[in-house]
Amino acid sequence: MLAKLMKYEIKGTARIFIPLYLLLLLFALLNRIINPFSLLENSDNFNLQVLFSIISVTVYFILIIGTFVMTLIIMIQRFYKNLLGDEGYLMFTLPVKSWQHIVSKLIISMLWTILSFITAICSILILVNVDNLSEVLSLFISKFTDIFGTAGFFTLPYYALIALISNILMIYGAIALGHTFSKHKLMASFGMYCILYVIYQVVMLLFILLFGKKNITSIVTSAAPSVLQINTLILELSIPLIIILVANFILTNTILRKKLNLE
Amino acid sequence: MSNILTCRNVTKVFGSKVAVNDVTLDIPRGKIVGLLGPNASGKSTFIKLCNDLLTPTSGEILIDGNRPGIETKKIVSYLPERNYLNDWMKVSDIIGLFRDFYSDFNEEKAYDMLKKLNINPKDKLKTMSKGTKEKVQLILVMSREAQLYMLDEPIGGVDPAARDYILDTILSNYNENATIIISTHLISDIEKILDEVVFIKEGKIVLTKTVDEIREETGKSVDSLFREVFKC
Amino acid sequence: MPWELKSDRPIYSQLIEQIELRICSGVYPLGSKLPSVRDLAQEAAVNPNTMQRALSKLEEDGLLYSNRTSGRFVTEDVNMINQVKNKLAKEHVQIFLKKMTELGFDYEEILSIITTLAEEMKK
């Protein structure tokens, strides 16, 4: 059932993202070919070519920012419209548990976020002609392992993933809380998000003050923090995120199960 | 054979408003039952409670012996008042969805009914008129071989010819192991196809009788009796 | 033949009358097989259970009989059908006579009106 929900989730969202990604990559390619930056550098007067270059660069930047904005908007809209709007009548009468709805949307939101990120990076790589890509890459990797060690290839993505999940669930939690209001649900959701965000910050702070002080002080005071210290810190900081993640999940699921009230 | 739907003292309160007030009801299998009442009498709320779209404030609902949840959703086919189809889908997409999630969905029947109504499965839902979308929804609901059908105002916003088609579809899908509950305020159109009627007023059940009992005892149609009972 | 069901009388009794009418007038001929309960209910746009009860009553009365495997049939007993025909005729005439006497006609006048109209209808 979860797989089926995800299938329809992808079907419902791919028609927006795929064209967007293609457009982004296309414009990256276009800009690479036209090479507007050198054009702008070398030309003294303002002519059609310069105008065209300016437009094409602007469009590219709009597309890249737009991709991330769209990812966020779709993430919110899928939850809000598909579960709590009229489509909710279809969704919640399917023989499926409410947590499966949450998880399917969570996973697909994560998918698009990661894909948006990858596409953006690819577009940058297309745009910027990087000579000796393998050299730059190996330089980057050695600098990275200096600070984070090979463990860093696991701990940082792990942290990023936990942070992503936690944030998405916080958005869902806010939308679910907003739904319990009888009027102005959307505004209430925004308000609830602010409140949840404050709580999130407080929990992080409390955690650091209570448990993380020792590790942080030793990292800050030492000249060269060890790879172990850094990675331990990263893992420790993921704990409050996990707490928030679980709390938001339980909150959202409970509201969907017990407090659902479709108009 | 036990009752398909059993309600005991079901109450639903929204803030200060009591939408469903201490409803106790038993509905056996193989019946077509009309849930009749004016707007805002609690009909839709009651149906939503049966479909686990709302949680009762108190009381118990059992469908085939189970509380509303996954097991009941498998055997209940619900037609809401609203249009719940995602606009971007084609008709064939939504049929695929129903087939994927409901093991009792009869795809052949659905396509058959679409053909009879001249609805092209490749059409996108957003290009369809409201009336056509409602017909699609009805087809989806009636193509399930469910044990309990709950239709909330199926003939509400539809023209008289379409109403006849809908009633005909309901009759042709009847089987004696399933029960159909129709909630409506348009009574004269449907009273002939009902076994029993339940009058609901301000969340309370005020009458439960068969159509013929009402006609026999009062010499009136159910529609006339309704107008009397619910006089403004 | 369309099904004429009035809204203020029980559907069950009206169905019995309508089926009797169809048998008498030959819509359902002697010994013929009746459509299924479902089909009849759909045709008449009534509840199948109500139709079923009406058919059962007619079976009880002997106008219909059912064969478990092949369905319901109209009786082959011509006398029975004539009995029903006469019963219906009597009912119609009684209603007619009542209305006519309400209008103030006496029996001779009624008879002459009938005879005249019947002649005209033949032409």
Side-chain angles (χ1 to χ4, degrees), chain B:
Chain B
M1 218 185 286
S2 60
N3 292 320
I4 186 74
L5 176 65
T6 306
C7 300
R8 290 280 170 272
N9 305 106
V10 177
T11 301
K12 178 67 181 170
V13 179
F14 291 108
S16 54
K17 180 171 191 295
V18 185
V20 174
N21 196 341
D22 199 38
V23 164
T24 296
L25 196 59
D26 282 306
I27 310 254
R29 291 174 190 273
K31 300 273 180 193
I32 303 180
V33 178
L35 186 60
L36 311 178
N39 288 325
S41 51
K43 312 192 292 287
S44 287
T45 306
F46 176 74
I47 293 181
K48 285 192 213 174
L49 284 166
C50 293
N51 282 287
D52 199 27
L53 291 172
L54 287 174
T55 331
T57 309
S58 63
E60 189 181 59
I61 297 178
L62 292 176
I63 295 175
D64 196 28
N66 291 313
R67 292 234 176 88
I70 286 199
E71 289 311 311
T72 65
K73 287 174 190 178
K74 287 182 188 166
I75 60 171
V76 176
S77 191
Y78 170 46
L79 180 69
E81 237 184 306
R82 306 250 145 179
N83 194 299
Y84 63 17
L85 306 171
N86 348 46
D87 263 354
W88 61 268
M89 280 189 172
K90 290 186 277 191
V91 178
S92 52
D93 291 328
I94 188 81
I95 290 190
L97 191 150
F98 267 68
R99 185 200 54 226
D100 278 347
F101 283 98
Y102 293 112
S103 55
D104 60 12
F105 186 68
N106 187 337
E107 200 175 347
E108 213 182 296
K109 200 196 250 186
Y111 277 112
D112 206 50
M113 285 200 258
L114 285 171
K115 196 152 157 229
K116 288 214 182 99
L117 282 179
N118 288 319
I119 299 176
N120 184 353
K122 300 236 170 280
D123 281 345
K124 288 210 178 185
L125 289 168
K126 70 166 160 238
T127 63
M128 293 179 172
S129 68
K130 179 163 162 261
T132 313
K133 275 196 271 202
E134 284 180 15
K135 288 182 192 161
V136 172
Q137 263 181 210
L138 179 79
I139 288 175
L140 288 168
V141 171
M142 297 311 289
S143 298
R144 277 189 58 198
E145 264 137 44
Q147 293 183 37
L148 176 62
Y149 296 87
M150 302 197 84
L151 313 178
D152 198 348
E153 299 283 0
I155 55 177
V158 195
D159 65 76
R163 270 187 222 161
D164 284 342
Y165 177 78
I166 290 171
L167 295 174
D168 188 65
T169 307
I170 292 174
L171 278 180
S172 65
N173 274 286
Y174 170 81
N175 84 77
E176 34 326 310
N177 292 315
T179 292
I180 304 176
I181 296 181
I182 304 175
S183 108
T184 185
H185 56 275
L186 294 173
I187 298 160
S188 53
D189 287 292
I190 73 160
E191 58 177 283
K192 291 190 320 214
I193 73 167
L194 301 175
D195 276 289
E196 259 176 58
V197 302
V198 175
F199 278 17
I200 183 165
K201 187 177 189 179
E202 284 161 12
K204 269 191 156 309
I205 295 189
V206 294
L207 184 140
T208 316
K209 279 202 154 79
T210 69
V211 171
D212 275 353
E213 271 169 358
I214 290 177
R215 290 186 178 196
E216 186 89 59
E217 290 168 21
T218 65
K220 299 190 176 85
S221 66
V222 178
D223 185 64
S224 305
L225 181 63
F226 181 87
R227 285 162 204 257
E228 263 184 41
V229 172
F230 292 103
K231 201 187 270 187
C232 301

Side-chain angles (χ1 to χ4, degrees), chain A residues 236-254:
Chain A
E236 277 181 358
L237 288 179
S238 77
I239 294 178
L241 277 180
I242 293 177
I243 295 175
I244 292 165
L245 184 163
V246 170
N248 274 313
F249 184 83
I250 294 176
L251 172 73
T252 309
N253 195 29
T254 311

Side-chain angles (χ1 to χ4, degrees), chain A residues 79 84 171-181 189 251-252 255-256:
Chain A
F79 196 84
L84 301 175
I171 292 176
Y172 289 169
I175 298 174
L177 279 169
H179 174 75
T180 60
F181 285 69
S189 297
L251 172 73
T252 309
I255 292 178
L256 291 182

Side-chain angles (χ1 to χ4, degrees), chain A residues 92-162:
Chain A
F92 282 108
T93 40
L94 295 175
V96 151
K97 288 207 179 263
S98 50
W99 69 259
Q100 289 171 308
H101 284 302
I102 301 174
V103 171
S104 65
K105 288 184 155 54
L106 171 69
I107 291 179
I108 303 303
S109 294
M110 283 169 65
L111 175 75
W112 291 124
T113 307
I114 294 171
L115 278 180
S116 294
F117 197 64
I118 292 177
T119 309
I121 294 191
C122 284
S123 76
I124 292 175
L125 289 176
I126 293 177
L127 180 70
V128 177
N129 192 9
V130 186
D131 306 316
N132 310 317
L133 187 63
S134 51
E135 248 187 57
V136 174
L137 213 60
S138 48
L139 187 66
F140 172 78
I141 290 177
S142 70
K143 288 278 181 217
F144 182 85
T145 43
D146 278 348
I147 306 174
F148 298 104
T150 29
F153 286 111
F154 298 100
T155 56
L156 277 176
Y158 156 79
Y159 183 84
L161 217 62
I162 298 285

